[in-house]
Each structure stands twice: as C-alpha cells, then as structure tokens.
Amino acid sequence: MAGHANTKDLVHDGVIAYPDDPQFGKASPNKLGMWLFLGTDAMSFSGLLIAYAVLRATKHWPNPVEALGGVHLSGIMTFILICSSVSMVMAIDAVKMRQPKQIRNWLLATIIGGVIFLGIQAYEYVHLMTDMGMTFSTYEHGNNLFSSTFFAITGFHGLHVLSGVIYLTYMYVLALRGRFDKGDYGLLEVCGLFWHFVDLVWILVFTFIYLI
C-alpha cells in the first residue's frame, strides 16, 4: 500500500518524476527500455558495417563516390537529418518551457525532415537503378556485392527513418491533444533518443559507405 501512495506522490502538476534508484538514478522504465533496444539495434548495424568492411577489404571494390554518381544527394540527406535532430531538441525544450505551439511546430519540422530524407533516398534508389546499373543483387560495372551491401545497409537505415517518422507523428498527435502542455517531456525524450540514434547511425553509414 505504501508503494501505491508513493507513486501518487510522484505526479506533480501533471509532470511525472521518478524516484532515486541506486542502480538507475531517475531513469524512467520507458527510457531504460529504449536504451536496451538501441543497444541491440546498434549491434545489428555494427554487424552490417563490419561485413561491408570485410568484403571491401577482401574483394575487388569500386570507388563508392564514382559508383554512386557523387555524394551530393547523400550530403543533402545528411544535412537534413542533422537539422531534424536539432529540431527534436528544440521540441523537448519547448515542452520544458510549456510552449504548446512551439512543441507542435518543432515536432512538425522534425517529421518533415524525415519525410524529405526518405523522399531523397527513394529518388537516389531510382537514379542508381536506372542510370548507374545497380539493383538489389547486381551491379553492371563491378562486384555485385557492392550493390547488395549498399542497398542492405542504407535500406535498413531507411526503414528506421520511416519508423521514426511514424513514431514522431504519434508524438505530434499527442501534442495536439495537449499531452505535453504541462511540461512532462518523458515520452518525447524517449522518442528523441531513437531519432538521435537514427541520425548518428546515418553519419556512420554516410562516412563508411559513401565517402571512404
């Protein structure tokens, strides 16, 4: 019974505060769950990138910049995704300052950034298939493994971006309903962790797949 009474005391003015814990401090169960998920997800991306590195070191490999027709599109994609991470931070700050309109605006900006990223990626895929002779399993100008690993890694990341956009859209719906108006940013912070992870992984993918 005492535990239930303490739980009620944790809610003040609509904001949930978690008690000190000797192992986890004030981390919420949602945040711990997200960190565990991101840890396992990072292993998946690590496996893909390590496999790419091993294949590139042991097989005849084309110059990625030439094979992909330059890095202009991917550079724009990187810039957009970094900007969307900044808008995600601004959305959480708006919750802390209890600015409902700004919360929605920054969330919408983050969603738009993700959608633009996906749109450019789709355009890039069409360009590579029609103009550069790349498909999911073949490459006209060299090792087919180059094409397969490229689409596997960037496609896997694109799936994460799509999941993030859906996740952010749900947060936006909650914002419209006033879920964050009282300053409780816990749910949005967990969403932000996922989005920042997606951004960080793309920087690694851009560096190892497009530039090196």
Side-chain angles (χ1 to χ4, degrees):
M1 295 297 292
H4 290 293
N6 291 335
T7 301
K8 293 180 181 179
D9 292 338
L10 298 178
V11 182
H12 301 285
D13 196 20
V15 178
I16 301 174
Y18 290 90
D20 289 323
D21 185 281
Q23 276 74 43
F24 299 110
K26 292 185 178 181
S28 68
N30 290 338
K31 186 183 291 186
L32 292 175
M34 179 56 75
W35 276 118
L36 288 172
F37 169 74
L38 295 180
T40 57
D41 210 22
M43 295 179 189
S44 299
F45 277 106
S46 297
L48 288 171
L49 290 173
I50 291 172
Y52 176 86
V54 171
L55 289 172
R56 180 167 183 174
T58 57
K59 305 290 184 181
H60 177 68
W61 213 254
N63 184 330
V65 176
E66 295 177 359
L68 299 174
V71 295
H72 301 90
L73 285 178
S74 54
I76 294 172
M77 292 162 67
T78 303
F79 176 75
I80 290 173
L81 210 56
I82 291 174
C83 289
S84 71
S85 264
V86 174
S87 61
M88 186 75 235
V89 172
M90 298 302 294
I92 295 174
D93 284 344
V95 176
K96 295 177 181 179
M97 294 184 287
R98 304 192 182 191
Q99 299 174 332
K101 183 178 180 180
Q102 295 301 317
I103 297 170
R104 296 190 295 270
N105 289 343
W106 286 117
L107 273 177
L108 186 59
T110 308
I111 293 169
I112 292 173
V115 171
I116 293 175
F117 178 93
L118 291 172
I120 296 177
Q121 186 173 52
Y123 173 81
E124 180 188 44
Y125 279 9
V126 172
H127 167 67
L128 292 175
M129 291 178 181
T130 57
D131 299 330
M132 306 300 292
M134 290 180 63
T135 69
F136 294 106
S137 59
T138 61
Y139 177 49
E140 292 181 0
H141 310 291
N143 194 331
N144 293 343
L145 289 172
F146 169 75
S147 178
S148 299
T149 52
F150 169 82
F151 283 115
I153 295 172
T154 59
F156 188 51
H157 179 270
L159 180 62
H160 280 70
V161 176
L162 176 61
S163 301
V165 169
I166 295 172
Y167 194 175
L168 286 164
T169 301
Y170 175 62
M171 292 294 106
Y172 183 74
V173 171
L174 292 182
L176 290 175
R177 295 176 179 174
R179 175 64 177 79
F180 308 114
D181 290 359
K182 293 183 179 180
D184 184 7
Y185 58 88
L187 286 178
L188 197 59
E189 186 177 36
V190 173
C191 180
L193 287 175
F194 179 79
W195 193 250
H196 295 317
F197 171 79
V198 169
D199 185 13
L200 175 61
V201 169
W202 175 254
I203 292 175
L204 295 175
V205 170
F206 175 66
T207 301
F208 289 108
I209 303 299
Y210 288 87
L211 297 181
I212 296 179

